[in-house]
Amino acid sequence: MDRREMLKLAALGATFAVPGAALAAQDEALAKAVAAGHDAAIKRLRDWIALPTIAAEGRNVKEGAAYMAELAREAGFQKVEIVPTDGVPGVFATMDNGAKKTLGLYFMYDVKQFDPAEWSAPPLEGRIVERAGLGKVLIGRGAVNQKGPESVVLAALAAYKAAGRKPPVNLVLVCEGEEEIGSPHFPQIVRRPDIAAALRKSVGVVIPSAWQAPGDGAAEINLGAKGIIECELIATGERWGRGPAKDLHSSMKAVVDSPAWHLVEALQTLVTADGNMPVIDGWFDRVRPLTPREKALIADSAAKRDEAVMKRQMGVQHFIGDAPLRETLERLAAQPTVNIEGLVAGYTGPGGKTILPSRAVAKLDFRLVPNQTHDDCVAKLKAHLAKHGFGDIEVKVTGGYDPTETDENSPLIKAELATYARAGVKTSVYPRLAGSWPGYVFTSAPISLAAGQFGFGHGNGAHAPDEYLLIDSSNPKVLGFDGATLGFIDFFAQIAAMG
């Protein structure tokens, strides 16, 4: 090990107090491989960011699957297959290491759309810049959601190969390229009989994440995630039977109905006047209230969080109702939501264009909580619109899925807690992620496994400009890329040691 690598490894040991030091002292080959593979790992991530798969635009759909398959082969998966579906293909891979335990991995390789004009660095470049209070970060679309954390896992597997070692667990990898549009075809991949059989051998499934807070390095384990419906509400003069069949001169508004105002009226029936509470007929019929244990977990989480830091990261000054943090976190975990992602009608270019639009579209997402289901809520939305006089408005569902839940006493969650504890990372357990991922396909029948997010490191800006992942940390409490890699190596060991 040369001097540069020794210094780097020493820094890792200081940052990652227990596992990093343990690996350096007890498994020098793996620790050396992580340090030596740093530059290659970052290049791998930058190259991946340079190839965006954007399902909503049909961009790099086949190319993204092919690239994911190649990454899996390079990582040492012996069997790698591109899996066709009725829509976007995915990837399935297995790695048999002769181990007693098997871990499932979920990767998404698609990303959200982006406008380069909104970014401080080109979104597909993967530029590394210094960020005050953090260290060196890599900016790029997909940096934290989810190519960066997934690249940490790939780096861990590359370290095993470089050290001439096998991971202590077998791996089953399932990947998709349309999570960002609600994973409409992913169940076809997971429920294919041979893939389902491979997954059922696992102790659980994890989606790699960069889960540490930027200040104290604390991490949170979510026991589930909200479900989601993504859809468009489309109002047209032709379908309504009122308003213009094509755009008119705006002077005709004196005598012609407006599909745009018709859509606005429909949207107003979905929520309370402030937009903060769904009022769709029957929407709360199946909603399960928070249990006493969930409320206790939230209270513990609130005590460990810094509200000012939360607001600063989000770029907000107030939470709804200016409620105490515990109440805010209860809403975050238990509140179904109706959100307008986008609202488009008529002319939106420079200057004005005096028309009466014939068509108006609202892009919506609905976050669902236990025991709501995607299909039941879509049916209730359509019934509500019809009942309130808006049955002409088309509901075009583009994706979505049910909520997911995992038992906090499951072996998978215990292994996550044990790994964070070995690293000296302050950890809290939270009932469910306010966001969504298709974990339900793993936690529900016929797979019926524990599933959740896990990982070290830090990133921010998912779906937003200047999305980033921390590469070299200036904060000893927050792990950089190599420290996060060592953390995942330790997680594999924790899974292997499960009784």
Side-chain angles (χ1 to χ4, degrees):
M1 192 181 301
D2 63 28
R3 181 177 180 277
R4 177 176 175 272
E5 289 171 345
M6 286 289 289
L7 290 172
K8 195 170 190 179
L9 188 57
L12 283 175
T15 300
F16 199 58
V18 179
L23 281 168
Q26 300 175 20
D27 202 330
E28 183 176 317
L30 268 181
K32 178 180 178 180
V34 170
H38 175 85
D39 291 346
I42 300 306
K43 182 180 185 303
R44 184 187 302 117
L45 173 55
R46 296 183 72 189
D47 289 346
W48 202 4
I49 285 174
L51 180 68
T53 296
I54 303 178
E57 299 175 351
R59 183 174 179 182
N60 293 325
V61 168
K62 292 182 180 179
E63 295 85 350
Y67 198 80
M68 181 70 251
E70 183 59 29
L71 288 173
R73 292 187 189 97
E74 291 178 356
F77 286 87
Q78 298 106 344
K79 177 184 176 182
V80 180
E81 177 188 355
I82 295 177
V83 183
T85 71
D86 292 342
V88 173
V91 176
F92 167 57
T94 56
M95 183 188 295
D96 184 353
N97 295 311
K100 294 181 179 180
K101 301 292 183 182
T102 298
L103 177 68
L105 295 171
Y106 165 80
F107 280 18
M108 51 174 283
Y109 52 85
D110 63 317
V111 298
K112 277 294 187 186
Q113 303 92 320
F114 53 85
D115 180 356
E118 299 175 341
W119 291 60
S120 66
L124 301 183
E125 179 184 318
R127 181 178 297 177
I128 296 178
V129 303
E130 194 74 30
R131 184 68 60 88
L134 290 174
K136 292 181 179 179
V137 303
L138 185 149
I139 296 175
R141 175 54 84 224
V144 70
N145 184 25
Q146 291 294 133
K147 291 179 179 179
E150 290 163 356
S151 292
V152 164
V153 177
L154 296 177
L157 297 178
Y160 281 109
K161 286 183 68 178
R165 300 273 299 280
K166 290 183 178 181
V169 293
N170 307 316
L171 298 172
V172 178
L173 175 67
V174 284
C175 316
E176 67 164 320
E178 54 180 357
E179 193 279 339
E180 296 292 9
I181 60 169
S183 305
H185 300 99
F186 188 55
Q188 294 180 29
I189 298 171
V190 172
R191 291 171 182 165
R192 200 179 79 177
D194 61 322
I195 298 176
L199 282 165
R200 279 196 291 267
K201 297 176 184 177
S202 305
V203 299
V205 180
V206 295
I207 171 174
S209 304
W211 228 232
Q212 289 187 270
D216 61 4
E220 192 165 74
I221 293 176
N222 293 291
L223 299 177
K226 290 183 178 180
I228 190 170
I229 299 167
E230 288 199 84
C231 69
E232 295 179 348
L233 300 191
I234 305 170
T236 64
E238 183 177 13
R239 187 178 173 112
W240 186 20
R242 307 187 67 87
K246 60 181 181 179
D247 292 354
L248 284 178
H249 192 282
S250 65
S251 63
M252 292 296 102
K253 183 63 195 75
V255 294
V256 178
D257 291 304
S258 166
W261 283 114
H262 184 57
L263 178 60
V264 169
E265 286 185 295
L267 293 172
Q268 288 176 329
T269 73
L270 303 181
V271 292
T272 52
D274 59 9
N276 292 332
M277 181 70 72
V279 292
I280 300 166
D281 298 330
W283 206 247
F284 285 85
D285 288 351
R286 296 186 181 183
V287 169
R288 175 174 64 74
L290 290 170
T291 66
R293 176 57 180 165
E294 288 173 330
K295 289 186 176 182
L297 290 173
I298 291 171
D300 177 69
S301 180
K304 295 176 179 177
R305 295 202 196 197
D306 187 322
E307 183 174 353
V309 171
M310 288 176 61
K311 289 177 178 176
R312 185 164 61 248
Q313 281 191 281
M314 296 180 195
V316 302
Q317 297 182 20
H318 300 274
F319 290 133
I320 289 174
D322 293 314
L325 183 57
R326 185 173 72 174
E327 183 179 329
T328 294
L329 294 181
E330 286 183 356
R331 282 184 59 92
L332 193 63
Q335 177 67 47
T337 64
V338 178
N339 178 57
I340 299 176
E341 298 178 358
L343 193 57
V344 182
Y347 178 71
T348 59
K353 184 180 181 183
T354 50
I355 59 168
L356 171 55
S358 61
R359 187 176 189 269
V361 179
K363 293 180 179 288
L364 304 181
D365 65 64
F366 302 77
R367 303 286 173 168
L368 312 178
V369 300
N371 293 316
Q372 292 181 302
T373 65
H374 173 275
D375 292 348
D376 179 65
C377 287
V378 169
K380 284 176 175 173
L381 172 63
K382 292 178 178 178
H384 171 93
L385 290 171
K387 177 181 175 181
H388 291 267
F390 302 100
D392 60 280
I393 291 180
E394 179 185 359
V395 179
K396 182 181 179 182
V397 178
T398 55
Y401 38 78
D402 297 344
T404 179
E405 292 189 279
T406 288
D407 188 342
E408 70 173 300
N409 295 310
S410 66
L412 181 71
I413 299 300
K414 289 182 177 180
E416 292 184 5
L417 285 166
T419 307
Y420 284 135
R422 278 172 54 83
V425 171
K426 184 171 66 173
T427 310
S428 58
V429 179
Y430 193 67
R432 73 189 53 87
L433 184 70
S436 305
W437 74 288
Y440 86 102
V441 77
F442 304 116
T443 59
S444 62
I447 310 300
S448 303
L449 291 172
Q453 302 84 12
F454 175 77
F456 293 89
H458 168 72
N460 202 0
H463 298 191
D466 286 350
E467 178 181 356
Y468 70 84
L469 180 77
L470 181 63
I471 300 300
D472 291 319
S473 180
S474 62
N475 180 350
K477 295 182 180 180
V478 184
L479 305 191
F481 190 93
D482 289 357
T485 302
L486 288 172
F488 235 100
I489 287 173
D490 195 62
F491 179 59
F492 289 152
Q494 292 296 321
I495 294 292
M498 288 169 46

